[in-house]
């Protein structure tokens, strides 16, 4: 019925291409009674969601199974949501246009804490009860995974169960188990009991939390001995053998990344002390060059894209990057298909690599020194020097590049105003390097863009115990840097400190934060990561009305013996290692790259696979 209405409202909203489906390589299946229907949900708009590699992998993987039908569902933009409400159209799967309430699972990927109000909104738009306890046998299971699931507690009342770790194997196990239960007509509670026994699955309702008088956690434990005390993350032991799609959906409209994303490896051995991804995705596992070249050929054939992005946490750490780039360029140069290498590290920046990729086109150069001074770079274990940056930009300028982006964080532990001044000085040195080149040899108009984000302490990092700067402290530091940078060739951008404050609250939140999320959504909060829709005052009112102090979560220092909301998860890296790293940071001591020798992080004790 509402499919006809949909076609009418498509004409009245911005970017209808977000909502129509039917793109090249999207999957259509005939819906049958015994089929398991899965709505792969991304809590942001289509353009952001379609640029997420993990969603492409899962979509293709699940649809490879004959008895599973995976569709996509995204957060409708404000105009579309309004039209849907006016016409009584529930949130629907993009492929079939069926309401998501008809599906067996709604599976959210948790990429960013400030999308959590969109999760609540999407569940509500799907006519599904917001809280897990209110759902019945008629409702779909609402599940979630992704990096933010490494602290699942803020969403514990909303999500039926979480999938911790890499999803390729475990999601198939979960859906196969469900198919048996569906066939046997068993109840929702029986399925939750059964799925809780799958490694990597966390069912919040089977666990209870007791709090101390000061609001810290006294004890977190299973309600019954039959539930595991610790939830161990899942990983793909052999990335070479793990699934990767040979074709991906090609959107009708422009998205954030209109290109092939080729995942060359997972994990990181560097050990930056602020970086959650560097800890939770261990161990490092690579795909072979032959495998990657074959995948690239198939993906180019299936999509027609003219750019391949080599995706990973630190692309220049791929052990055979130069050979890989040379092989790919040889294969695709004549077809005018370019390569982009995000996440380059300054210390492993290869002149050979950059010479190869510029043969087709020059993509942007982005580096992340993270901190302005060597002292602070040592505190965070970045492991790069000013010389690394200068040598890299010298090489790039000589090869014809003229614009550079530099990313930094402010508010890092032990930071002083001298460290912040170092950001400006580093940018000015980069400029000097460009203009030191003889005028006749310079190419292009020079520009360096300096961007600062506000440090957000994250679970499973050595800095997880640290207080975040207050909003006022962040703003004072931002103002200081603004006044220091007085050069038209140096552009300064910064993040909204209020948004980072809320991100910090949720990132290290416990179950009580779930009440704030619901209250904030009731007050109209959604798309909080979009500056034109972000309403900080509504969030502050939500904290006040729920009686929850946000500073307790964001700006409070934790002791090592405090029970943290995520302590029951086993990511492989031990708490002892994180404490040791935090103590080393106070002495400005570096920890070497794992590839140069084991640093005893613990990953090789409970997980096999990869370089460990």
């Amino acid at each position: 019925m509402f499919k006809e209405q949909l076609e009418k409202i498509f004409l009245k909203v911005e970017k209808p291409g977000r909502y129509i489906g039917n793109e090249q390589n999207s999957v259509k299946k005939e819906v049958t009674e015994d089929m398991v229907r899965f709505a792969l949900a991304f809590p942001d708009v289509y353009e952001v969601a379609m640029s997420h590699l993990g969603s492409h992998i899962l979509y293709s993987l699940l649809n490879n199974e004959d008895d599973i039908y995976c569709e996509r569902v995204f957060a409708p933009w404000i105009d579309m949501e309004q039209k849907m409400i006016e016409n009584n159209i529930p949130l629907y799967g993009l492929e079939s246009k069926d309401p998501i309430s008809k599906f067996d699972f709604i599976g959210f990927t948790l990429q960013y804490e400030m999308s959590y109000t969109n999760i609540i909104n999407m569940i509500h738009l799907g006519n599904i009860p917001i809280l897990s306890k209110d759902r019945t046998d008629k409702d779909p299971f609402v599940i979630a995974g992704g990096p933010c699931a490494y602290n699942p507690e803020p969403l514990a009342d909303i999500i039926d169960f979480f999938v911790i770790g890499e999803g390729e194997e475990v999601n198939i196990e979960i859906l196969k188990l469900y198919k048996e239960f569906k066939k046997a007509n068993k109840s929702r509670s029986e399925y939750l009991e059964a799925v809780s026994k799958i490694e990597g699955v966390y069912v919040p309702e089977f666990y209870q939390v007791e709090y101390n008088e000061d609001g810290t956690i006294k004890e977190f434990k299973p309600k019954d001995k039959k539930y595991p005390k610790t939830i161990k993350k899942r990983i793909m032991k052999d990335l070479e053998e793990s699934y990767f799609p040979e074709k991906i959906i090609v959107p009708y409209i422009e998205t954030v990344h209109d290109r092939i994303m080729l995942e060359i490896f997972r994990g990181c051995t560097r050990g930056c002390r602020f970086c959650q991804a560097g800890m939770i995705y261990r161990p490092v596992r690579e795909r072979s060059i032959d495998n990657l070249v074959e995948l690239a050929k198939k993906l180019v054939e299936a999509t027609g894209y003219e750019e391949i992005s080599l995706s990973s946490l630190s692309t220049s750490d791929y052990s055979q990057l130069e050979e890989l780039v040379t092989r790919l360029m040889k294969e695709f140069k004549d077809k005018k298909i370019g390569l982009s290498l995000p996440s380059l590290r300054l210390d492993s920046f290869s002149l050979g690599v950059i010479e190869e990729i510029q043969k087709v086109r020059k993509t942007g150069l982005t580096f992340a020194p993270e901190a302005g001074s060597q002292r602070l770079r040592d505190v965070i274990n970045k492991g790069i020097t000013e010389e690394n940056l200068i040598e890299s930009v010298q090489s790039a300028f000589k090869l014809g590049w003229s614009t550079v982006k530099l990313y930094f964080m402010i508010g890092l532990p032990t930071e002083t105003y001298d460290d912040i001044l170092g950001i400006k000085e580093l940018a000015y040195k980069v400029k000097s390097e460009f203009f030191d080149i003889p005028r006749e040899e310079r190419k292009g108009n020079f520009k360096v863009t300096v961007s600062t984000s506000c440090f957000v302490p994250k679970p499973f990092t050595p800095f997880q115990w640290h207080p975040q700067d207050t909003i006022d402290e962040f703003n004072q530091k931002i103002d200081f840097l603004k006044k220091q940078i007085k050069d038209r060739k140096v552009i300064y951008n910064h993040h909204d400190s209020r948004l980072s404050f809320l991100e910090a609250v949720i990132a290290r939140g416990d179950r009580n934060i779930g009440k704030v999320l619901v209250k904030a959504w009731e007050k109209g909060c959604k798309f909080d990561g979009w500056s034109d829709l972000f309403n900080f005052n509504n969030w502050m009112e939500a904290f006040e009305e729920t009686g929850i102090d946000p500073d307790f979560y964001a700006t409070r220092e934790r002791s090592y013996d405090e029970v943290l909301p995520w302590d029951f998860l086993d990511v492989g890296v031990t708490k002892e290692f994180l404490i040791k790293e935090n103590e080393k940071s106070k002495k400005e001591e570096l920890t070497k790259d794992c590839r140069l020798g084991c640093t005893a992080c613990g990953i090789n004790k409970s997980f096999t696979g990869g370089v460990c």
Side-chain angles (χ1 to χ4, degrees), residues 8-19:
K8 289 178 185 170
I9 65 172
F10 285 158
L11 301 171
K12 299 175 182 174
V13 298
E14 178 194 7
K15 298 187 182 179
R18 289 168 167 165
Y19 312 109

Side-chain angles (χ1 to χ4, degrees), residues 33 298 302 415 464 523 550 555 580:
E33 276 295 309
K298 288 172 181 168
E415 182 185 64
Q464 66 180 357
K523 289 179 165 294
T555 60
K580 190 173 77 176

Side-chain angles (χ1 to χ4, degrees), residues 255-368:
T255 64
V256 177
H257 300 305
D258 283 317
R259 59 196 183 202
I260 292 165
M261 290 166 283
L262 195 61
E263 185 190 36
I264 59 176
F265 72 100
R266 287 184 192 171
C268 181
T269 53
R270 296 289 185 163
C272 297
R273 292 172 178 137
F274 59 86
C275 181
Q276 186 189 45
M279 298 293 164
I280 62 176
Y281 289 125
R282 292 185 182 204
V284 165
R285 292 143 291 155
E286 293 189 346
R287 285 195 166 88
S288 70
I289 290 178
D290 287 344
N291 187 4
L292 289 166
V293 172
E294 281 308 304
L295 281 170
K297 284 198 280 192
K298 288 172 181 168
L299 285 162
V300 167
E301 179 72 24
T303 63
Y305 277 131
E306 294 178 342
E307 184 178 344
I308 300 169
S309 173
L310 302 185
S311 172
S312 73
L313 290 175
S314 178
T315 295
S316 44
D317 283 339
Y318 182 71
S319 60
Q320 303 171 79
L321 184 65
E322 200 152 340
E323 187 182 343
L324 173 64
V325 168
T326 303
R327 286 270 303 273
L328 289 170
M329 290 306 300
K330 187 179 175 185
E331 183 69 37
F332 297 116
K333 189 173 66 178
D334 292 342
K335 297 173 184 169
K336 302 293 180 191
I337 292 167
L339 285 185
S340 64
L341 282 70
S343 312
L344 288 177
R345 272 185 68 92
L346 292 163
D347 53 344
S348 50
F349 186 80
S350 163
L351 191 62
V353 168
I354 201 169
E355 282 181 318
E356 280 295 326
I357 63 174
Q358 72 152 359
K359 286 176 182 171
V360 174
R361 68 174 72 100
K362 287 187 176 62
T363 51
L365 273 183
T366 302
F367 297 115

Side-chain angles (χ1 to χ4, degrees), residues 49-66:
M50 290 305 293
S51 302
H52 177 237
L53 175 60
S55 295
H56 283 286
I57 294 174
L58 267 184
Y59 177 82
S60 187
L61 171 78
L62 296 183
N63 277 321
N64 259 3
E65 302 287 325
D66 290 337

